[in-house]
Amino acid sequence: MALLNNNLKLSHPVIIPFPSTQSPMMTMTNSCVSIRSPPKFNFVMASSTLRAETKEVENVKKPFTPPREVHTQVLHSMPPQKIEIFKSLEGWAEQNILTYLKPVEKCWQPQDFLPDAASDGFDEQVKELRERAKEIPDDYFVCLVGDMITEEALPTYQTMLNTLDGVRDETGASPTPWAVWTRAWTAEENRHGDLLNKYLYLSGRVDMRQIEKTIQYLIGSGMDPRTENSPYLGFIYTSFQERATFISHGNTARHAKEHGDLKLAQICGIIAADERRHENAYTKIVEKLFEIDPDGTVLAFADMMRKKISMPAHLMYDGRDDNLFEHFSAVAQRLGVYTARDYADILEHLVARWNVEKLGGLSADGCKAQEYVCNLPPRIRKLEERSQGRAKQAPPVPFSWVFDRQSMDFIVDGIWEVVCCLCYTETVPRIRKRLDSDSEFGKFRHFKTKFDASENQNPRESDSGLSWVWENPCNHHQLMSKLLVLLG
């Protein structure tokens, strides 16, 4: 039975059977395991849960079980003789990879960017942080929380690196360069989640208990990168992922700056810089593999892309929403924090970085893999427009991270259209009073900023596309009704 969805000519995978007396009700479906049908096979190693439509936690869920189907687990697919490649590269790694690490004394620490609890001005610093956070919309915080949760699941990523044959930390304190890199990389990455977690706590804009539950669920569920204990697959995966996180944190920095929070922009920017440095290390490892074993490496590259790069937090769950990652991803896509276009750009960048198009001396299978990865970015870009359309059409979803408020950007834009048409009518004082006095109106703070900035502008000049409203005064009443509905 073909359990590998790739063209790799590797040694036979290891499949762990369930004892027949303990086999769960599982069937193979599209390379995944489901517990919804009667048993047909009892030789797969995977976990699954029911995709319940309800938002409430139900007893049918087993503790620490991922909220979605997990692919068939394939183990140790790399031929044992290739482990010697990584043993032989230990000297090279010490000279070329460990140099990407920074000495602890020269590293930034989370406290460098946060209010100092030991200072007399702590209360004032927190107040200023919260004032800046008030002007940021909920959608942004959904993306920032999702990024933070991803960073906080760091124990899973260190575990994943230590599954890779030939480079794992065999003792927990191994002196090999590969083990030193894994531990020190983990230590540097640990600061990211710490910093974002403390910022979000101080902001007062998010439900920290729900966030903490999500982190615990995610670490308990693990991840399913489908790297098969192979450092070929593992280092290709980390090369892709480090660039993805660099892009995501860079975009949250840009959005924070646009919303006027320069301190938060600095926080996201400094994390993005770390991710870029780590990306350079992992891409250099794969570059060396292309130099030593171009055929095996291009086959691994194609295999990883055929399986698709799953995001590290794809098993996230908050105790309520079985599709939490999809809903978070839709918000990130709509805001431009991380998109299908970024996925294609990363792949194109790696193809160029590793000179995949210029590889020679490949086997027939290697040539097919080379052609596949080089032609894949345009195909992904064709799907990007559909992804954007789906994200825009997605209904509003409540996020427990922001006190079950819905994704609000499209609602804010709708209100803004209305107010642009009413700025010179008697409704302005009424809107102003609501904005200034109603504490429940916090979800529209971003809109309030727009209102403040252009209250005295004639909408016929600043929003010429809406000039039809002014041509027919009766439209004012229709728009006012719409506004009052939206304001509740």
Side-chain angles (χ1 to χ4, degrees), residues 26 31 37 96 165 196 299 341 354 378 397 403 443 448 471 477:
M26 296 186 176
S31 299
S37 304
N96 294 275
D165 295 332
L196 292 175
L299 285 168
R341 178 176 296 178
W354 295 328
V397 175
F403 303 101
K443 66 183 88 174
K448 181 179 182 297
E471 296 169 2
H477 299 289

Side-chain angles (χ1 to χ4, degrees), residues 19-88:
S20 59
T21 58
Q22 298 177 3
S23 295
M25 301 281 284
M26 296 186 176
T27 59
M28 296 294 294
T29 308
N30 296 327
S31 299
C32 295
V33 179
S34 172
I35 62 174
R36 296 178 179 176
S37 304
K40 294 182 181 178
F41 307 100
N42 65 345
F43 45 81
V44 293
M45 178 182 176
S47 13
S48 174
T49 59
L50 294 172
R51 286 177 169 272
E53 296 298 326
T54 61
K55 297 290 181 182
E56 297 301 319
V57 182
E58 297 179 4
N59 292 330
V60 294
K61 281 187 181 298
K62 295 181 179 179
F64 310 112
T65 306
R68 67 192 70 251
E69 295 167 339
V70 176
H71 293 92
T72 302
Q73 304 291 287
V74 179
L75 308 180
H76 306 289
S77 62
M78 184 178 71
Q81 61 269 24
K82 290 201 173 185
I83 292 177
E84 294 305 315
I85 291 177
F86 295 91
K87 298 294 184 185
S88 70

Side-chain angles (χ1 to χ4, degrees), residues 162-446:
N162 281 329
T163 68
L164 303 180
D165 295 332
V167 298
R168 67 172 59 89
D169 185 348
E170 297 283 1
T171 67
S174 170
T176 67
W178 299 118
V180 171
W181 165 263
T182 296
R183 293 195 303 270
W185 169 84
T186 303
E188 289 193 354
E189 289 277 334
N190 187 61
R191 300 167 301 149
H192 302 172
D194 281 354
L195 176 53
L196 292 175
N197 193 315
K198 291 172 182 175
Y199 168 84
L200 287 165
Y201 169 74
L202 292 173
S203 76
R205 289 289 307 277
V206 297
D207 187 335
M208 287 304 301
R209 192 172 195 281
Q210 280 300 125
I211 291 170
E212 289 159 356
K213 282 172 56 180
T214 308
I215 295 169
Q216 185 174 356
Y217 272 116
L218 180 56
I219 295 174
S221 294
M223 65 184 295
D224 181 30
R226 306 176 75 185
T227 49
E228 304 172 10
N229 306 101
S230 167
Y232 283 82
L233 299 175
F235 289 140
I236 288 168
Y237 178 87
T238 51
S239 297
F240 195 104
Q241 274 306 325
E242 292 286 11
R243 187 162 185 84
T245 52
F246 158 67
I247 290 170
S248 180
H249 288 300
N251 284 328
T252 54
R254 175 175 56 83
H255 282 294
K257 185 176 180 180
E258 290 172 357
H259 293 307
D261 193 335
L262 299 183
K263 195 71 174 179
L264 179 55
Q266 185 184 21
I267 287 172
C268 297
I270 199 71
I271 294 173
D274 270 4
E275 304 291 6
R276 182 63 181 272
R277 179 162 48 85
H278 296 160
E279 174 210 337
N280 288 336
Y282 285 117
T283 55
K284 191 160 189 171
I285 294 171
V286 179
E287 183 180 49
K288 188 67 174 178
L289 292 177
F290 269 112
E291 178 186 323
I292 294 173
D293 182 14
D295 205 65
T297 308
V298 76
L299 285 168
F301 192 15
D303 173 44
M304 207 69 243
M305 298 315 302
R306 282 192 178 94
K307 292 185 291 193
K308 298 189 177 76
I309 300 289
S310 59
M311 298 299 107
H314 65 120
L315 298 180
M316 69 166 51
Y317 177 62
D318 62 352
R320 302 180 187 179
D321 187 355
D322 283 347
N323 298 307
L324 180 58
F325 182 78
E326 284 78 5
H327 295 150
F328 156 64
S329 298
V331 176
Q333 171 83 23
R334 187 170 67 249
L335 266 62
V337 170
Y338 184 76
T339 68
R341 178 176 296 178
D342 293 323
Y343 188 98
D345 288 346
I346 293 170
L347 174 56
E348 194 169 64
H349 168 81
L350 294 177
V351 167
R353 172 75 172 77
W354 295 328
N355 292 314
V356 178
E357 290 183 346
K358 298 178 182 178
L359 293 176
L362 301 175
S363 66
D365 286 338
C367 289
K368 291 178 182 178
Q370 178 187 40
E371 182 181 11
Y372 173 77
V373 295
C374 291
N375 292 333
L376 190 56
R379 292 168 55 192
I380 295 174
R381 285 202 174 89
K382 288 181 180 179
L383 300 175
E384 196 270 337
E385 185 175 343
R386 275 188 277 174
S387 297
Q388 283 283 10
R390 284 195 297 268
K392 290 179 179 178
Q393 295 170 9
V397 175
F399 283 89
S400 66
W401 305 336
V402 288
F403 303 101
D404 289 313
R405 292 194 293 267
Q406 295 179 345
S407 175
M408 299 304 300
D409 266 8
F410 73 99
I411 297 180
V412 170
D413 290 341
I415 295 177
W416 179 240
E417 284 188 15
V418 174
V419 174
C420 281
C421 300
L422 298 174
C423 279
Y424 278 83
T425 72
E426 67 281 2
T427 61
V428 170
R430 192 172 175 185
I431 297 170
R432 164 60 55 202
K433 183 177 180 181
R434 184 68 181 272
L435 285 170
D436 289 338
S437 63
D438 194 338
S439 60
E440 294 300 318
F441 208 74
K443 66 183 88 174
F444 296 117
R445 287 189 183 99
H446 179 48

